[in-house]
Each structure stands twice: as structure tokens, then as C-alpha cells.
Amino acid sequence: MSEPSATSNDHRTRPSARPWWKDALVYQVYVRSFADSNGDGVGDLAGIRSRLDHIASLGVEAIWLNPCYPSPQHDHGYDVANYFDIHDEYGTLDDFDALLADARDLGIKILMDLVPSHCSIEHRWFIAALASDPNSPERARFYFRDGKGDAGNEPPNNWQSAFGGPAWTRLDTDPTANNGKGGQWYLHTFAREQPDLDHTHADVNQLFDEIFKFWFDRGVEGFRVDAVAGTGKHPDLPDQPPVGPEVGVLDITWMNEYTVFRPEGHDVWRRFRTTIDNYESSHPDRELMMVAEAYAVRRPELVKAFTEPDQFHQMFSFDLMLTPWEKHSIERAMLDPIAILAETGVPPAWTLNNHDIQRIVTRLGRADAHLPEVWTNNNLALSRADVDLALGERRARAMTALIFALPGSLYLYQGEELGLPEVFDIPANRREDPVFERTGGAEIGRDGCRVPMPWTNDASSSYGFSTPRADGTVGEPWLPQPAEWGERSVSEIDDIENSTLHMYRSLGEVRDEFAVSQPLEAQTIDIGPEVVAVRRGELVVVVNPTDQPVQLDLDHPEMAITQPVFASEPAEMHTTGVIPANSTIWFSS
């Protein structure tokens, strides 16, 4: 099997005045798991370069790289030790520049992942803070506090970490006496290896100004900004009000009004936007952007606040990613993002998968996935229902066909184009997500959606993930791959006409031809009690989320456009108006 030939993706039919990011197709690369060029079992930048043709074949305009900065990898890159370099396992800055140049030749932009809420315990600032006295300028960049109680043995407050356990870690010793209270405590919203930064400090402000300039100067076109909900704190750090016993251990943090969706965070985003706008004004040939990551499902007021003109350009809409496979739930998941677009002009950034959630094939294959309002899909609060992967893949194809048609940008996650499922049977001693460790194994964490990509059916090369060393050997992949991975690899399904991979490539083409050319607007329409229907200009998309075929009324006023142009199950596409079970059809004039 040969890779599809690379072609430039600078062929969009969007109106020329529309910024590229408003309706871009973006491919998320989890660097560690995409492709390994040197046989050490860890993905790298050169590996991405070697597989750019595959990414280009999907019709994407940009690649979002998960954090590839130097890091001790306690949270696989989200604990950044140096924001101005490349992690040595992934390559060098020269390798990054080469990737950017090759991608640019294919018409593909590069987006980076920015982690503002915290850094690594190995960042030079934190090392300096540990070596400094309590109340020193070095510690003021973080949240160091004395403990409660006579000896300071209790945390400064009752906040919990988003990964489980207390949000405070105590120092064993301090350089000088601390009023008889021993070591201070430092705050970490996530793992203990990720100390929170205090963005009210001038040094922190300057650091991020320099980060933006450094990567923009190299040619990066934007940033996905991580965990924006937890950036900014109430200045007094008061105790969180009690939560009920029904609240899961990993949900407590996200109910803390003193550290989630704080107004202090919006001050940070305004500074970021000013930095980006100032850079763009001096580089008029660039269209830069940043997109916010925060789970604000069914909270349109938060989305509007984050996407004010002086803050984020866009915000991820996780509504469809987190919806059950049921008509009214799907319609509700589109309602707020589309309404916000109509009111503010800010298009959503849609996605169905990412590195933090179980893959959609598994989620929608669960026996309870069709039940209204059942939360089946967050992999930190997971349904235990049985999984039918064949049904899940069919539903996932239908949901994907829907989301490709919607106004706004769309972010794909590596491997979803292969129909990859979640991997559950990872041995405990191979799991690396800090969620697993900090909950004592009660939560399996996110490793199952991060298993390295399969490219071929050759098990000796980790299914094509690793390029063999000079002696023909490859290291063990950093996460184990299941035996069936080879059957799901790019090479095995590339020549299968109706494979999920071919569907994604076709969707990229029809999105360009029939969707991107339409206005940035959409409406849900009522054409029957069983189906979901969306009109976008001259395009009508119909989803049948039931287990039975549905006959459409082709005389219905909303069905004046009746020519089918794409179907999630191509063999079943016809002009009779029958929508097969668990499938989607696009209609256009």
C-alpha cells in the first residue's frame, strides 16, 4: 500500500474575507503516540514529518500538536519545564522548524498547545522557589502558603486536585525557619508535579508574552490553550463549600467557585489577546488565533464570556462529544453553539474525540448510549455498560458525518479516522496517566485513548508505529498496543472502499464543496419525530439515531433539496428518502 500523494490544501471555497480558523479542519497529533522515527518506542517530530501525507489526505488545514516542550512527563507534556524548546525524546528546534516547513509546503498550519495554569516542578522558577525563603519573590510566582494548625501540618484550605487527592503538597523542609510551622505548602490544581502559576505576578505576565512571540516568530499560527477554567484564583483562597456525597472525587474541583471560571482568569486572557493582536498588527500577513479548552456544556453565558472580542477567538464546543445518541439530546447539543454563533458571530470549535476522553466508537457503542441524559462518555466518570463496537462504529460514522457539516472549525483526533476503539486492557504497571496513580487505580484514566497509532499489520515494528533502528530492532511502545491493532491499521483499511478512513477523506472533500462555501450559520429543522435535521444554506443534513430505517416525507417544505451528496453508509445512499438506521445523509441542490 502506498500513501496517498501529498497535495496542497490551499483550495478552500470559503469566502475570501473569512479568517481560516473560523471553519478550519484541524488534526490533533498526540506527539508521543503518532509515529516513532528512531525505534525508541516514543513518537517524535520526525515521525510526524514522515506521515504528513496521511494527514494531508484528510483535507486538513492545520495540525494541533499536544505539548512537545521539555518535560519530565509526569503528565506527558502538560507539566512544562521549558516553554522555549522541544522535549529531547521528540527532537530539537531544528526538527520542529523542518516539520513546520514541510507542513507549510502542503498548505498545513501548525498550532501549539499552551499550558498557562501551571508548569513543572522542574521548571527553573520552581526550583528557585524551593531554594528560597518563605515569602520570597521567587515563591510569589506560585501559590505558596503556610499550613493551618499550630505546626502548619494541615493544608491551607480544603481544595481538592482535579486528578484526585488534596490540591496542596507540603515541602519537607524550608531554607529558613517559618514561624515554627515547618515547610510551606504549594497549590496544584492537577498533579503534585504541576505547581500552579500566579498570573497576577508581573514575571508570569512577561513569561507568556515571550512565549507567544517566540513561537509566532518561528511560524506557529495559533494556540490551543489548556485548562482555562482553572486559571485564576480568589485572592483569599477560602475553603470550598461542602459538596454532597453524590459528587465524584474527580468532579469536586470543578465545583469550586473559588478556583473555577474566575474573573481573575479573564484578566489573563485579555492580556494574551492583547499580545496576539499587537503581534498580528505588526505582521499583517498573519491570521493568528487561540482557542480555549474548558468544559462549559450547557453554559452559554460562559462561552460568551470567554469569547468576548478581547479574549479567545474561539472556544471548544464539547456538547456533541458529550451527548447521548438520542434525537433530543443531539438537537440540544447543537442548540447553544449555533445560537451563540448567530448572536455573537463566534463560531464553535467542534470535536468528537481528544486525548482526555474515551474514543467515540466505544462511547456510542455502549448499551446505554441511546438513553436521554445518560452520561456515558466522560472517561473519568464512566458508564460500565457493555460495548458493541460494530454498532458504536456505525453511530460514530453518523455523528461524524453530522459534525463535518456544521458551521465552525472541526478538530479531529489522531486515529478516529481509523475507527479506533478505546483500549481497556492496559496492565496496571504500564499505565502512566497520573489519574490512575492519584486515585489508587479507582479511575483507569486516559491512557486508553493514547495508545500509539497503527500504520501497518507488522507487529515487529509496533504495527508500523516505530521505524526500526539500524540493527532492525525497535523498542517497546510506551503504551502497549492490542493484538488487533494491525487489522485496524492504515495499510489494512486504505484499500477498503467503505472503510472509515475513506469516509473521512470523502467528508473532507464534501465539506469543502458543500459546507465551507455556505454561510456561517445553521438551523435545526423539524422534518419528522425520529430524525435530527440541520439546514446550512443550501445543505440539509439528516441523522437517523434510531435502530430502524426512517422514510422521509420528500414533499415536506424543508426537503425541497433532495439530491443526496454524501452518506455515512455509502452503499445505502439512494434518492428514495429512506434514512437507514444509525446513519446520516447530506442533501444538496
Side-chain angles (χ1 to χ4, degrees), residues 148 154-160 167-168 187 236-240:
K148 291 182 177 179
E154 300 175 12
N157 65 28
N158 67 350
W159 294 5
Q160 295 293 294
W168 295 90
L187 178 66
D236 298 331
L237 306 182
D239 276 353
Q240 178 179 1

Side-chain angles (χ1 to χ4, degrees), residues 240-443:
Q240 178 179 1
V243 299
E246 74 282 358
V247 178
V249 64
L250 299 180
D251 296 323
I252 296 174
T253 296
W254 308 115
M255 300 182 69
N256 186 351
E257 61 185 301
Y258 301 125
T259 187
V260 174
F261 298 121
R262 294 290 307 169
E264 294 86 355
H266 291 281
D267 294 336
V268 177
W269 317 134
R270 291 185 186 96
R271 289 195 298 269
F272 283 10
R273 182 60 178 265
T274 298
T275 299
I276 293 174
D277 288 350
N278 288 343
Y279 190 98
E280 198 173 45
S281 67
S282 61
H283 298 78
D285 58 325
R286 306 284 291 277
E287 285 184 335
L288 307 175
M289 57 82 74
M290 63 175 180
V291 56
E293 186 243 6
Y295 286 76
V297 174
R298 297 191 178 178
R299 300 189 66 181
E301 75 283 359
L302 290 177
V303 178
K304 293 176 187 176
F306 276 105
T307 56
E308 289 286 338
D310 60 352
Q311 297 185 52
F312 287 96
H313 297 77
Q314 283 181 293
M315 185 171 178
F316 274 105
S317 171
F318 296 123
D319 302 68
L320 277 173
M321 186 175 78
L322 299 177
T323 188
W325 183 245
E326 185 269 336
K327 170 182 168 67
H328 299 294
S329 298
I330 295 171
E331 290 176 337
R332 175 67 189 270
M334 292 187 289
L335 182 64
D336 285 344
I338 290 175
I340 291 169
L341 171 59
E343 179 181 346
T344 68
V346 176
W350 303 97
T351 191
L352 294 176
N353 296 274
N354 63 38
H355 63 292
D356 285 332
I357 195 166
Q358 288 187 8
R359 290 186 177 273
I360 190 173
V361 168
T362 296
R363 298 190 329 256
L364 292 188
R366 291 198 177 277
D368 58 0
H370 66 289
L371 300 179
E373 306 311 312
V374 170
W375 197 269
T376 64
N377 40 16
N378 186 316
N379 77 315
L380 304 183
L382 159 74
S383 165
R384 308 300 185 194
D386 292 339
V387 178
D388 180 337
L389 284 181
L391 178 60
E393 184 161 5
R394 186 177 178 104
R395 288 172 170 175
R397 288 168 62 101
M399 185 73 93
T400 301
L402 168 64
I403 207 167
F404 260 79
L406 298 179
S409 57
L410 173 58
Y411 285 67
L412 310 178
Y413 178 51
Q414 65 179 51
E416 69 173 85
E417 73 274 19
L418 307 181
L420 294 182
E422 188 77 1
V423 178
F424 291 109
D425 56 350
I426 299 173
N429 64 353
R430 296 293 305 276
R431 290 193 177 276
E432 300 207 13
D433 188 352
V435 169
F436 182 77
E437 179 264 330
R438 286 185 63 84
T439 63
E443 298 288 346

